[in-house]
């Protein structure tokens, strides 16, 4: 599966989450990069985030972020 710019933006957003706690979320500010804001909204529509402007990871989102961050650690070593 090729990684296009939209998928790359979604991956970047999912790497922002601190998986050591479920009490930290993210919020897209008005000045945020348009690509990031669009990625957050797509992740929300996919059921990975709790709000269209960020929020917290859903159970599915947490599972996805855990796998993603693990894969990135392996590939970065």
């Amino acid at each position: 599966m090729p990684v296009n710019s939209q998928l790359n933006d979604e991956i970047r957003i999912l790497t922002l989450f601190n998986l050591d706690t479920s009490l930290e979320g993210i919020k897209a500010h008005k000045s945020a990069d348009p690509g990031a804001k669009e990625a957050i909204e797509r992740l929300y529509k996919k059921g990975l985030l709790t709000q269209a402007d960020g929020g917290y990871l859903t159970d599915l989102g947490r599972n996805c972020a855990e796998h993603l961050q693990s894969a990135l650690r392996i590939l970065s070593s």
Side-chain angles (χ1 to χ4, degrees):
M1 171 184 219
V3 178
N4 61 34
S5 63
Q6 288 185 341
L7 185 56
N8 190 51
D9 287 342
E10 292 174 14
I11 289 169
R12 189 168 44 91
I13 295 301
L14 289 171
T15 63
L16 296 175
F17 284 91
N18 177 1
L19 298 178
D20 292 332
T21 180
S22 59
L23 302 176
E24 288 182 27
I26 63 170
K27 172 86 169 157
H29 294 277
K30 293 177 185 178
S31 62
D33 169 24
K37 289 195 279 190
E38 292 167 4
I40 290 170
E41 188 166 338
R42 286 193 304 275
L43 291 170
Y44 169 73
K45 288 179 179 178
K46 292 176 182 181
L48 298 165
L49 300 179
T50 59
Q51 296 179 17
D53 64 348
Y56 301 95
L57 291 167
T58 62
D59 289 340
L60 178 62
R62 181 169 184 80
N63 189 9
C64 181
E66 287 171 349
H67 286 288
L68 174 65
Q69 290 185 25
S70 178
L72 290 173
R73 273 193 301 279
I74 292 167
L75 293 172
S76 296
S77 62

